[in-house]
């Protein structure tokens, strides 16, 4: 029947498909096929399941042992196999990438898990080393407490890495730092999941119990005479507690009487310099009824760095050479992050202020201006009636040159 054939032809599309048996050359951000894609003709009214069946037959694959990505190897996984091909946003000429592995189900996300460790190579900042472990599809409704044993088992199988579910914490990788820590009772969906999101696994020296209101802060102690910072200490606080409670925890960790502790919060843990302490505002934490979530710190996330000092010892003034040694280029950077080998950070310092030069001219009086216009109308040809342009010269001589110094 020509009508059926016409409708079928109208629904046929061509898709570009890779050969999953051929090796791929992988770079840091893309995956490049060794050969060109092949083309297959399909009916866009068919389901993704039917497309997978056709591909399994063509490439001799188990239909339950491969997944499809829209675009390329970094594209979005097509999870709902009951959708039609057009419903999965596959159109004529679209590239479909076949990847060997267990496909995700609706509600699951393929997450990349990293081992996160503190890097102890800079006195000022707190930085991290990351090692990529594996990729794992995870249900968004899974609890963190249920996920930890699965991660430990997978780390042993994939990397021969011994992890204890009681001695790890799970957190979001936020840029180059470790961000929000997920509590055991929370579900994965709290982490705003998307495919290939990086999740950090951090080893602990002892078990910890975190409530829904617990926040982990990083604290260093400032030696105001030597101008050095101590190694950081992790402190678990309750975000709803008052600052006096925070002072007790600081006294516990650093041995400074809480009545003499002053603290300041750094803007960013990865771009902090000791020179910033010259401009920081210090606050007493003893006998304060303010909450940590109130001003001046508004604490709400994990990983914030605080600097504390003993206010019985005054801050020594720095020499010019010391300031020069602590400063440097406006932007300090190292090579980009490489999983498993190094880390990177940058530090920003404001450019030096320069004086601003402004020339100011005095405004002419209305009477003089009108007089000049009358003289010109009488044919004198000068601004003051004497024919030598004296008024103009006087105006120039009265120019006022001022140097305005910056306020800093």
């Amino acid at each position: 029947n020509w009508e059926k054939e016409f409708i079928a032809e109208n629904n046929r599309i061509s898709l570009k498909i890779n050969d999953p048996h051929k090796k791929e050359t992988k770079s840091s951000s893309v995956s490049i096929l060794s050969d060109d894609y092949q083309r297959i003709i399909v009916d866009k009214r068919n389901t993704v399941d039917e497309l997978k069946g056709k591909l399994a037959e063509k490439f001799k694959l188990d239909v339950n042992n491969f997944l499809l990505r829209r675009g390329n190897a970094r594209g979005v996984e097509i999870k709902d196999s009951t959708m039609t091909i057009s419903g999965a946003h596959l159109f004529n000429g679209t590239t479909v990438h076949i990847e060997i592995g267990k496909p995700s189900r609706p509600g699951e996300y393929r997450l990349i898990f990293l081992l996160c460790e503190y890097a102890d190579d800079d006195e000022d900042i707190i930085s991290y080393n990351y090692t990529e472990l594996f990729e794992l599809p995870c249900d968004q409704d899974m609890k963190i407490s249920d996920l930890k044993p699965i991660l430990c088992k997978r780390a042993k199988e994939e990397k021969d890495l011994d992890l204890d579910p009681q001695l790890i914490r799970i957190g979001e990788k936020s840029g180059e730092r470790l961000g929000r820590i997920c509590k055991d009772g929370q579900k994965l969906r709290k982490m705003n999941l998307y495919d290939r999101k990086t999740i950090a696994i951090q080893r602990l020296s002892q078990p910890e119990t975190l409530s829904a209101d617990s926040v982990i802060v990083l604290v260093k102690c400032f030696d105001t005479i030597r101008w050095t910072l101590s190694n950081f200490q992790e402190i678990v606080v309750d975000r709803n507690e008052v600052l006096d409670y925070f002072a007790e925890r600081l006294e516990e960790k650093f041995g400074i009487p809480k009545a003499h502790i002053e603290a300041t919060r750094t803007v960013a843990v990865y771009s902090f310099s000791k020179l910033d302490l010259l401009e920081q505002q210090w606050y007493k934490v003893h006998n304060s009824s303010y909450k940590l979530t109130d001003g001046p710190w508004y604490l709400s996330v994990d990983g914030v760095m605080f600097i504390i000092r003993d206010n019985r010892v005054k801050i020594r003034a720095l020499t010019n050479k010391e300031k020069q040694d602590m400063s440097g280029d406006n932007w300090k950077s190292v090579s980009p992050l490489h999983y498993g080998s190094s880390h990177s950070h940058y530090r920003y310092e404001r450019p030096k202020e320069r004086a601003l030069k402004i020339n100011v001219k005095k405004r002419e009086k209305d009477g003089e201006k009108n007089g000049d216009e009358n003289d010109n109308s009488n044919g004198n040809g000068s601004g003051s009636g004497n024919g030598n342009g004296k008024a103009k010269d006087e105006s120039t001589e009265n120019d006022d040159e001022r140097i305005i110094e910056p306020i800093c």
Side-chain angles (χ1 to χ4, degrees):
N1 186 299
W2 67 269
E3 290 182 352
K4 290 182 179 180
E5 183 58 32
F6 180 80
I7 294 172
E9 180 63 27
N10 194 43
N11 284 287
R12 288 192 186 104
I13 60 172
S14 171
L15 299 177
K16 292 187 289 184
I17 307 291
N18 68 300
D19 186 343
H21 298 298
K22 292 185 178 179
K23 292 182 179 180
E24 300 172 0
T25 306
K26 293 188 177 181
S27 65
S28 59
S29 58
V30 295
S31 178
I32 304 171
L33 293 176
S34 55
D35 289 325
D36 294 336
Y37 286 93
Q38 303 179 25
R39 290 184 178 271
I40 63 168
I41 306 298
V42 296
D43 190 320
K44 64 182 181 181
R45 296 170 297 179
N46 292 344
T47 64
V48 174
D49 253 337
E50 292 171 313
L51 172 61
K52 288 191 69 176
K54 187 173 183 177
L55 295 175
E57 183 180 350
K58 178 178 178 64
F59 294 108
K60 305 295 188 290
L61 297 172
D62 182 349
V63 73
N64 296 315
N65 198 35
F66 72 93
L67 57 103
L68 303 180
R69 294 188 182 278
R70 187 187 307 113
N72 54 29
R74 296 289 178 180
V76 177
E77 181 183 355
I78 303 170
K79 299 177 183 179
D80 189 354
S81 58
T82 63
M83 290 192 300
T84 63
I85 292 174
S86 61
H89 301 287
L90 302 179
F91 308 108
N92 193 47
T94 300
T95 299
V96 178
H97 185 85
I98 302 174
E99 180 180 317
I100 303 300
K102 184 180 178 181
S104 304
R105 295 171 296 183
E108 285 187 340
Y109 293 89
R110 303 184 76 84
L111 305 177
I112 298 174
F113 289 91
L114 314 171
L115 183 65
C116 170
E117 297 174 299
Y118 289 112
D120 187 21
D121 64 350
D122 195 305
E123 183 186 2
D124 291 1
I125 66 171
I126 296 175
S127 53
Y128 304 84
N129 286 332
Y130 293 98
T131 305
E132 184 169 343
L133 298 178
F134 47 79
E135 184 177 297
L136 184 68
C138 300
D139 192 295
Q140 63 181 351
D141 289 322
M142 180 184 294
K143 288 186 176 181
I144 299 298
S145 56
D146 297 329
L147 175 64
K148 285 182 177 180
I150 297 173
L151 297 180
C152 294
K153 182 181 178 183
R154 187 67 176 266
K156 182 64 177 177
E157 295 172 350
E158 296 272 343
K159 301 293 181 180
D160 195 25
L161 183 64
D162 291 317
L163 297 177
D164 185 340
Q166 302 299 320
L167 294 176
I168 61 171
R169 68 163 66 119
I170 308 298
E172 295 184 14
K173 181 177 177 290
S174 177
E176 296 175 11
R177 70 180 183 88
L178 185 62
R180 179 174 52 181
I181 302 301
C182 299
K183 284 71 175 182
D184 283 351
Q186 292 179 337
K187 293 183 178 180
L188 267 174
R189 65 166 63 242
K190 282 279 188 182
M191 302 177 76
N192 302 319
L193 300 180
Y194 52 84
D195 279 325
R196 295 187 180 273
K197 179 169 183 165
T198 50
I199 305 296
I201 302 173
Q202 191 176 24
R203 285 188 278 201
L204 304 173
S205 58
Q206 58 185 16
E208 67 178 3
T209 302
L210 301 177
S211 68
D213 292 320
S214 293
V215 178
I216 297 172
V217 297
L218 311 174
V219 184
K220 290 189 173 190
C221 186
F222 175 39
D223 186 327
T224 55
I225 300 298
R226 297 185 180 89
W227 269 83
T228 57
L229 295 174
S230 70
N231 294 330
F232 73 89
Q233 297 280 346
E234 276 190 355
I235 299 181
V236 180
V237 296
D238 189 313
R239 73 182 78 212
N240 295 317
E241 292 289 346
V242 296
L243 293 184
D244 194 56
Y245 163 79
F246 187 34
E248 292 175 2
R249 301 303 312 279
L250 293 174
E251 182 179 21
E252 250 176 59
K253 289 283 186 180
F254 294 95
I256 303 173
K258 64 180 183 178
H260 299 289
I261 294 177
E262 289 185 354
T264 185
R265 172 181 171 171
T266 62
V267 176
V269 297
Y270 50 82
S271 62
F272 172 76
S273 166
K274 286 193 289 287
L275 283 178
D276 297 337
L277 295 174
L278 293 171
E279 301 178 6
Q280 292 288 102
Q281 180 69 46
W282 296 89
Y283 297 93
K284 289 185 177 180
V285 290
H286 176 53
N287 282 340
S288 174
S289 59
Y290 285 105
K291 291 184 178 180
L292 287 166
T293 51
D294 297 334
W297 294 326
Y298 302 101
L299 184 65
S300 61
V301 295
D302 298 288
V304 173
M305 184 168 79
F306 286 90
I307 308 294
I308 67 167
R309 71 183 183 97
D310 188 334
N311 65 8
R312 293 173 295 183
V313 184
K314 292 184 178 180
I315 300 177
R316 177 179 64 83
L318 291 172
T319 64
N320 290 334
K321 186 178 184 308
E322 286 175 320
K323 288 182 181 179
Q324 186 176 3
D325 291 341
M326 290 183 191
S327 64
D329 300 331
N330 287 339
W331 286 93
K332 294 183 178 179
S333 63
V334 295
S335 57
L337 178 69
H338 296 286
Y339 290 141
S341 59
S342 64
H343 67 283
S344 69
H345 60 264
Y346 69 85
R347 181 178 298 151
Y348 176 72
E349 295 173 7
R350 293 184 302 180
K352 294 180 179 179
E353 298 277 4
R354 294 185 298 176
L356 181 65
K357 182 178 179 180
I358 299 178
N359 292 329
V360 181
K361 285 189 176 182
K362 291 184 178 180
R363 187 175 180 180
E364 293 179 297
K365 295 182 179 179
D366 293 339
E368 292 178 358
K369 186 175 181 181
N370 292 335
D372 292 344
E373 290 175 355
N374 292 335
D375 290 340
N376 289 333
S377 65
N378 291 332
N380 291 332
S382 68
S384 60
N386 56 10
N388 58 7
K390 183 178 179 181
K392 184 176 181 180
D393 293 339
E394 287 177 351
S395 176
T396 304
E397 290 174 0
N398 288 331
D399 286 356
D400 185 14
E401 184 178 282
R402 302 179 187 177
I403 300 297
I404 300 179
E405 296 294 339
I407 300 174
C408 61

